[in-house]
Amino acid sequence: MTARETDFLVIGSGIAGLTTALSLAQHGHVIIITKSNQEACNSYHAQGGIAAAIGEEDSPELHLEDTLRTGVGHADGDSVEMLVRMGPEIISLLADWGTPFDRDGSKFALAKEGSHSKARILHVTGDATGKGIIDSLLLEIRKHPSISFVSHTMVVDLIIQDGECAGVYTVDKETDITQYYARHGVVLATGGCGQIYQHTTNDLVSTGDGFAMAYRAGAELTDMEFVQFHPTALHIDQNPMFLISEAVRGEGAVLVTEDHTPFMHKYSEWGDLAPRDVVSRAIFQETMEGHHVYLDATKLTVDFANRFPTIFTACMEVGIDPRVDLIPVTPAAHFMMGGVKTDLSGQTTIPRLFACGEVARTGVHGANRLGSNSLLEGAVFARKVALTIASLSKRTVKPLQEIEVSVRLCNNKQKEEQWKQQIQQVMWKYAGISRTKLGMEKGLQELKSISDQIPSSYLESQNMLQVAQIVLQAALWREESRGGHYRSDYPKTEEIWASRQYIVEENQQHESHSIASIHS
Ligand code: SIN
């Protein structure tokens, strides 16, 4: 057993983790722990971009209005206000740190996406925004002497001492345990949990580890029934599925059935640029009626290969030329709106434990996220977390002599894969785009029987299982449809559910009415 000590511990290396680390580096030593390589995260794969109200005809008020409307009356007004107001300064900060945002003459180029009333999406190399941001943050971080990176290392659990989060411990394949202690605090920036679904755009690392470890430590999680299904993953059986950015529809592409018939006008006055939950359900409905769904980008006025080079290459590799062919698309799990409950400074319900990025439920997304608000949320709340955690007094580190560890890292990836697939199939079938009470109860039973069989050494599967159960319980509780949560047995959005949250803690579940939404 080894023990290491630092000022700040950051778990995860997406935009939230890296921005937190860079912001903290002037205040002390930072260790970033990441379970794979430094680029394996959803932020890295983000295509469309990052939203901010910087256009001449735009304003934070309009950005706020779009975010709240898209969140279907379930977003937290104060959080959204902070998000949109800090948007422009975050873009300047990222540009100062080296992100080469695309330009239109002397100004930043701005694109349109679904449910945005204005063009406000900044991008890098057309559709490689996440890569552009993460590469530049990593370059800055590598120059910084007070930031250390520990990669390919799986955090097992948080260490809680005297009611506070004191650190984490990791285990390697040789079963060696390392305890990491933080004098100021620990930041969870572990990303999402898309891998609990059979069809997802999320990186293979997105197994929900942060949600699961916060839950086991007793932190409150909420809004876990709100999963976003992105409408347009490339319809080819692969994990993760390749995303066809919403920005392609922003440039004029249209969803059609096999006979080239557009259909989105039947479902929303926003047509092809309706919010993602609406578009995903429309595609689901068309599929139920026996259609195949495609994206028709053949009539774009921009040069596809130049505007969307990553998507162009991926399509051409599988024999689809988006300039002349229809692109087969299908919805896939993309983003978790819920998560570890935080306040405006990213503080969770456990002292000295902070969360930002997708693992956090900051209240900005409500029941459905507005496109390109996730990179913005990650960076905005990372700045807030850094400010708060740096101002905390140092605690005295008391390394434990022994940690009771019942888990050992599984080194049979192939075997573990089979368990993961079972969980993914259950979740896709029973907790996907359309849910029912009967189906979700069946899903919970099936997960229970899987849980009786998975060896405890399969850490990622155990985390996936725990998160999957939480999602199903929360979705069963919410007897209405709202945003990403659609129940065919309760198809209406009911006013009485607008401000209700299902709070999950280990061994406890309760309700809260604490959302202060500007809409409610
Ligand atoms: C996209 O480019 O469509 C995805 C970006 C996002 O999830 O906001």
Side-chain angles (χ1 to χ4, degrees):
M1 181 116 57
T2 317
R4 281 182 73 178
E5 224 180 286
T6 182
D7 292 311
F8 309 102
L9 257 183
V10 176
I11 320 301
S13 60
I15 188 169
L18 299 185
T19 305
T20 310
L22 268 178
S23 311
L24 282 172
Q26 56 182 304
H27 301 286
H29 184 252
V30 187
I31 294 180
I32 305 174
I33 306 179
T34 188
K35 80 172 172 183
S36 182
N37 58 50
Q38 295 168 6
E39 288 88 7
C41 60
N42 286 331
S43 302
Y44 193 81
H45 302 294
Q47 295 176 353
I50 178 164
I54 60 167
E56 270 162 24
E57 292 178 1
D58 202 0
S59 67
E61 288 73 25
L62 287 174
H63 192 182
L64 176 119
E65 205 177 297
D66 292 345
T67 303
L68 288 176
R69 185 191 63 256
T70 307
V72 203
H74 197 70
D76 182 333
D78 295 343
S79 306
V80 180
E81 181 97 37
M82 194 174 91
L83 178 86
V84 298
R85 297 238 172 260
M86 280 181 68
E89 94 186 46
I90 286 296
I91 297 301
S92 304
L93 179 73
L94 292 174
D96 287 349
W97 278 339
T99 299
F101 289 115
D102 293 336
R103 291 189 174 258
D104 193 357
S106 61
K107 297 187 179 143
F108 289 127
L110 297 174
K112 195 119 203 283
E113 278 186 9
S115 204
H116 285 273
S117 57
K118 299 285 172 199
R120 63 166 74 96
I121 318 299
L122 291 102
H123 41 89
V124 180
T125 331
D127 59 1
T129 312
K131 178 176 183 323
I133 294 175
I134 297 296
D135 282 348
S136 55
L137 293 177
L138 284 172
L139 265 180
E140 280 296 298
I141 279 182
R142 284 178 194 131
K143 283 191 248 161
H144 227 295
S146 49
I147 303 178
S148 312
F149 235 113
V150 178
S151 53
H152 298 282
T153 300
M154 173 100 186
V155 171
V156 179
D157 262 319
L158 303 169
I159 299 172
I160 306 293
Q161 285 179 347
D162 307 325
E164 296 185 328
C165 185
V168 304
Y169 71 93
T170 64
V171 62
D172 67 16
K173 290 210 171 59
E174 278 69 51
T175 73
D176 283 337
I177 289 168
T178 306
Q179 303 168 30
Y180 290 86
Y181 288 90
R183 297 177 201 101
H184 285 265
V186 175
V187 183
L188 271 185
T190 42
C193 59
Q195 283 293 328
I196 65 173
Y197 285 94
Q198 188 179 2
H199 304 295
T200 180
T201 60
N202 282 193
D203 194 281
L204 294 174
V205 297
S206 304
T207 50
D209 310 325
F211 303 97
M213 59 181 118
Y215 169 76
R216 289 192 291 266
E220 288 186 4
L221 271 65
T222 192
D223 285 352
M224 294 294 286
E225 63 273 39
F226 296 117
V227 177
Q228 179 166 82
F229 296 90
H230 195 292
T232 56
L234 182 62
H235 199 171
I236 285 179
D237 200 15
Q238 55 187 357
N239 185 11
M241 295 185 99
F242 184 79
L243 185 73
I244 308 292
S245 174
E246 195 169 75
V248 180
R249 274 174 288 135
E251 293 289 358
V254 175
L255 286 159
V256 295
T257 47
E258 62 285 350
D259 51 0
H260 294 245
T261 308
F263 56 83
M264 272 313 301
H265 60 279
K266 290 191 290 183
Y267 296 92
S268 167
E269 64 190 35
W270 288 74
D272 288 275
L273 289 182
R276 288 182 185 168
D277 59 328
V278 177
V279 183
S280 287
R281 275 196 300 282
I283 296 176
F284 180 78
Q285 180 61 31
E286 293 292 317
T287 314
M288 287 289 113
E289 290 170 17
H291 292 295
H292 294 281
V293 172
Y294 300 85
L295 193 61
D296 182 353
T298 59
K299 297 179 193 71
L300 299 198
T301 49
V302 293
D303 172 18
F304 196 105
N306 191 37
R307 173 68 179 85
F308 300 111
T310 315
I311 300 173
F312 182 73
T313 307
C315 286
M316 291 299 272
E317 274 169 9
V318 292
I320 299 164
D321 182 343
R323 295 167 302 188
V324 291
D325 299 325
L326 297 183
I327 309 169
V329 290
T330 184
H334 184 62
F335 188 84
M336 168 52 83
M337 270 75 72
V340 183
K341 192 174 162 123
T342 73
D343 65 12
L344 287 180
S345 62
Q347 171 69 62
T348 71
T349 53
I350 296 179
R352 292 187 194 268
L353 177 65
F354 291 77
C356 52
E358 190 171 345
V359 72
R361 185 272 178 202
T362 61
V364 298
H365 307 305
N368 181 42
R369 174 169 71 77
L370 185 66
S372 292
N373 264 358
S374 54
L375 289 179
L376 182 63
E377 181 201 27
V380 163
F381 281 84
R383 295 291 284 175
K384 285 293 182 188
V385 163
L387 261 182
T388 314
I389 198 168
S391 69
L392 295 180
S393 59
K394 287 188 190 191
R395 65 187 297 285
T396 311
V397 165
K398 297 185 280 184
L400 299 173
Q401 291 310 303
E402 279 301 325
I403 287 185
E404 281 290 313
V405 187
S406 56
V407 288
R408 295 285 180 260
L409 260 198
C410 142
N411 47 20
N412 188 341
K413 288 276 167 213
Q414 231 175 358
K415 209 99 199 250
E416 180 164 29
E417 198 48 42
Q418 292 169 13
W419 292 112
K420 287 183 177 177
Q421 283 175 9
Q422 288 197 31
I423 298 167
Q424 290 161 343
Q425 282 159 11
V426 169
M427 290 303 282
W428 188 253
K429 192 162 169 196
Y430 300 117
I433 294 173
S434 182
R435 304 163 173 179
T436 62
K437 179 171 191 282
L438 265 182
M440 288 188 284
E441 284 172 350
K442 187 130 199 298
L444 276 172
Q445 271 167 21
E446 289 185 18
L447 289 183
K448 169 83 181 69
S449 99
I450 295 171
S451 85
D452 292 340
Q453 299 170 64
I454 301 187
S456 61
S457 59
Y458 293 4
L459 283 186
E460 285 188 326
S461 313
Q462 292 289 355
N463 287 339
M464 284 168 62
L465 189 66
Q466 207 147 44
V467 177
Q469 284 167 328
I470 291 171
V471 170
L472 272 170
Q473 282 156 3
L476 251 178
W477 168 81
R478 183 170 289 278
E479 294 180 339
E480 66 152 356
S481 292
R482 182 179 294 275
H485 168 72
Y486 178 78
R487 287 188 56 164
S488 58
D489 48 356
Y490 292 97
K492 290 205 182 108
T493 303
E494 307 280 2
E495 194 46 43
I496 53 156
W497 283 91
S499 58
R500 290 168 74 181
Q501 292 173 39
Y502 184 66
I503 309 275
V504 202
E505 280 174 273
E506 208 178 22
N507 304 322
Q508 286 184 52
Q509 271 125 39
H510 57 272
E511 257 190 61
S512 155
H513 295 255
S514 64
I515 297 179
S517 168
I518 276 178
H519 271 187
S520 63

